[in-house]
Amino acid sequence: MDTQQAPLSLWRQMIQQFSLSLYELPDDKITADPEKLQGYDFVFECSSATIYMIVNDVMMQANKQEVDSAKVREWKKKAVNTLIKRHTQLYLKNNQSMIEGKTSIEDKAVYFIGLTSLSFEDPDEELGSSSYAVDCEYGSQFFAEDCVLDLDDELSVLQIFSHRNFVTILSQLVTPSDLTTFLDFHRGQLTNFVSFKNESTLLTQFLRAPNFHQRAIRIQEQLVDAELIDQIEPHLLKAVEPNQIEFANALMAEIQKNTRMWYQLFNSLLKRYRKAGQPLSPESVDILADESMYTYACLVEKILAYRKADQESRWDGYTSHAHSYHIFGRQYLMVFYAQNESSSLSAENVRLSYQDLLSDLNAQMQTPVMDELFLIGVEFRPCEDSVNTEVYLDIFHQKGAFIDLNTKRLHERLAQLKAQL
């Protein structure tokens, strides 16, 4: 039995387990938007891309003793060919609507994903029918020999993964920006007929390859050109050297560990704000959730560095600047709250004056003007039931804006006066 629509529980669990749930578009929003392609099982939209997904859950009847590699290969071909045929029909139908002027081409990157889930039932089991999942992968040889993809139009290529593969990819590449960078890499391997054993080895190759780190390097090159930083961080350059695989692996492990820590802090903040009846704006959530793992790692590194701060800095509070490693034009001001409640950088005072602090940051970021400015307040509180400390975040957001020379001078003068107080 082959059903094109998978049981929602399987795919819904996958979506809700990862950040994809933040970007899923409801059916009514898809149908109401003339730029959205119709008929796909799931549509996800983040700030820089739209992902169209179709799924195929294949349940076969087979004697357990008769299931071998040839049988699994046959099932894989059936599952994938069904996806390819369906995607082709949907794409042609939507393309016709574009030609007739009913829809327009989206002004952002578009990816088409096909997911399979294979299993079989053995009706001869003594205790009744039993279901067995079949783990499988595909690789370039499969698409060269068994299920030929249409690679003429790179942007419309359907990228096929098994359910297990895609769950692994989502767990390794936490953010939409990192996921779409991998999808670019995967699609490029397909369209350039590069041989790869399977999707797992390709993911490992990607995490070790310069492709992952080059995006962060390009951002830093822009920051150097704008004289916002002095040089590209040496560890970024080292990570793309061909003989530094061990270093790149260690760096990736650190990035992933810090990313998990960031999400714990960020999710705690979202829950706290909702409970207080002051939820973070959807725009801010979307921007921060669509950051890169590199950015999260940098922010967490600065939080962890608080342990090495001297007592005077902790007492008076201090600030630290950070930038996005994903989008040029996104800056972060981290304020480590003062233990001294009368300090201008105490938690209470910053929460009252964050707009002034962001305006000051905007005045500093004028050559060039930044697009997004975030103030992240960091508070360390002792745990009530242990000797450890807990970290609490505040997040405030402001759009960057051009200010005239007189206003900029006024900001500079006010900053000098504040420093003298």
Side-chain angles (χ1 to χ4, degrees):
M1 180 179 67
D2 182 355
T3 59
Q4 289 189 4
Q5 292 293 336
L8 285 182
S9 59
L10 176 71
W11 308 107
R12 181 62 57 194
Q13 181 180 7
M14 179 192 74
I15 290 168
Q16 293 177 349
Q17 185 179 356
F18 301 100
S19 60
L20 280 179
S21 58
L22 292 170
Y23 304 97
E24 184 182 3
L25 296 182
D27 291 340
D28 57 349
K29 189 170 183 179
I30 297 170
T31 55
D33 189 341
E35 292 190 354
K36 293 293 175 289
L37 307 184
Q38 307 295 308
Y40 290 86
D41 293 325
F42 303 99
V43 181
F44 308 93
E45 184 175 43
C46 57
S47 61
S48 58
T50 302
I51 298 175
Y52 293 92
M53 185 183 293
I54 52 176
V55 298
N56 189 16
D57 186 64
V58 177
M59 175 66 76
M60 307 299 294
Q61 300 290 326
N63 186 296
K64 184 179 178 181
Q65 305 302 321
E66 297 175 355
V67 175
D68 54 16
S69 59
K71 182 71 70 174
V72 172
R73 182 175 181 176
E74 176 188 336
W75 293 345
K76 287 165 61 178
K77 288 171 62 176
K78 183 174 183 179
V80 172
N81 277 323
T82 298
L83 287 176
I84 293 174
K85 180 179 179 180
R86 186 173 170 216
H87 168 61
T88 300
Q89 292 172 339
L90 289 172
Y91 191 79
L92 289 175
K93 181 178 179 180
N94 282 285
N95 192 47
Q96 185 62 36
S97 296
M98 286 187 237
I99 294 173
E100 295 173 357
K102 296 177 183 178
T103 64
S104 58
I105 298 175
E106 296 179 71
D107 187 24
K108 58 173 62 180
V110 176
Y111 303 91
F112 298 98
I113 305 298
L115 300 183
T116 66
S117 172
L118 305 183
S119 56
F120 69 94
E121 288 182 337
D122 187 346
D124 298 328
E125 292 278 356
E126 292 183 4
L127 298 178
S129 179
S130 297
S131 176
Y132 299 91
V134 178
D135 285 336
C136 67
E137 299 192 67
Y138 297 103
S140 58
Q141 186 175 354
F142 176 84
F143 295 111
E145 298 177 356
D146 294 326
C147 292
V148 180
L149 291 169
D150 182 3
L151 303 176
D152 292 337
D153 180 8
E154 180 175 348
L155 297 182
S156 69
V157 171
L158 182 66
Q159 297 175 249
I160 305 288
F161 303 94
S162 71
H163 171 262
R164 183 177 67 84
N165 268 147
F166 205 65
V167 166
T168 300
I169 290 167
L170 292 175
S171 67
Q172 295 278 330
L173 304 171
V174 181
T175 77
S177 63
D178 293 298
L179 172 63
T180 53
T181 303
F182 172 72
L183 292 178
D184 278 327
F185 180 71
H186 176 261
R187 189 166 60 186
Q189 302 296 293
L190 291 171
T191 56
N192 291 309
F193 302 98
V194 177
S195 177
F196 59 94
K197 181 180 179 181
N198 51 49
E199 288 70 32
S200 292
T201 57
L202 192 65
L203 175 62
T204 301
Q205 179 185 343
F206 170 72
L207 292 173
R208 294 174 177 173
N211 303 64
F212 181 85
H213 307 284
Q214 286 293 352
R215 179 170 36 131
I217 291 175
R218 285 194 295 270
I219 294 296
Q220 290 220 324
E221 287 174 342
Q222 291 178 276
L223 293 168
V224 170
D225 291 341
E227 299 183 349
L228 293 175
I229 61 174
D230 295 328
Q231 63 178 9
I232 298 172
E233 294 169 17
H235 73 272
L236 282 174
L237 298 175
K238 186 176 180 179
V240 300
E241 294 177 6
N243 60 341
Q244 294 294 335
I245 293 178
E246 186 176 343
F247 174 82
N249 288 344
L251 178 62
M252 178 54 61
E254 188 71 13
I255 289 171
Q256 291 175 326
K257 182 185 74 173
N258 286 354
T259 296
R260 289 191 290 271
M261 190 179 301
W262 167 262
Y263 268 107
Q264 289 176 352
L265 295 172
F266 187 54
N267 288 334
S268 177
L269 173 146
L270 295 178
K271 292 177 182 177
R272 195 174 85 250
Y273 277 25
R274 283 197 298 267
K275 188 175 181 180
Q278 299 174 326
L280 197 63
S281 71
E283 180 186 19
S284 298
V285 174
D286 288 347
I287 294 172
L288 289 169
D290 195 23
E291 261 293 0
S292 69
M293 291 195 291
Y294 250 119
T295 306
Y296 296 151
C298 173
L299 297 176
V300 170
E301 279 180 4
K302 292 181 180 296
I303 293 172
L304 295 176
Y306 180 83
R307 294 174 297 184
K308 300 178 181 179
D310 57 64
Q311 186 54 47
E312 183 179 358
S313 296
R314 295 188 182 196
W315 179 251
D316 294 330
Y318 65 95
T319 63
S320 180
H321 284 260
H323 64 79
S324 171
Y325 289 77
H326 171 50
I327 298 291
F328 179 78
R330 190 178 295 169
Q331 290 282 323
Y332 297 91
L333 175 65
M334 302 189 74
V335 179
F336 292 83
Y337 292 147
Q339 295 172 349
N340 178 8
E341 295 183 359
S342 63
S343 169
S344 62
L345 294 182
S346 70
E348 182 178 357
N349 286 331
V350 170
R351 288 165 185 157
L352 292 173
S353 64
Y354 71 88
Q355 290 179 325
D356 292 336
L357 290 168
L358 283 171
S359 294
D360 289 343
L361 180 62
N362 183 60
Q364 298 171 34
M365 301 283 112
Q366 289 290 299
T367 53
V369 175
M370 296 291 104
D371 298 319
E372 312 287 347
L373 302 171
F374 283 92
L375 186 155
I376 301 178
V378 185
E379 182 177 10
F380 290 80
R381 300 179 191 172
C383 293
E384 295 181 359
D385 55 351
S386 73
V387 296
N388 296 322
T389 57
E390 293 181 321
V391 180
Y392 292 84
L393 300 183
D394 287 318
I395 290 180
F396 306 100
H397 173 225
Q398 177 179 298
K399 289 284 187 181
F402 172 76
I403 59 175
D404 58 48
L405 188 58
N406 289 334
T407 305
K408 184 176 181 181
R409 286 173 179 166
L410 178 60
H411 276 283
E412 291 174 349
R413 180 57 180 159
L414 287 173
Q416 292 173 357
L417 291 173
K418 288 178 182 178
Q420 295 170 7
L421 295 177

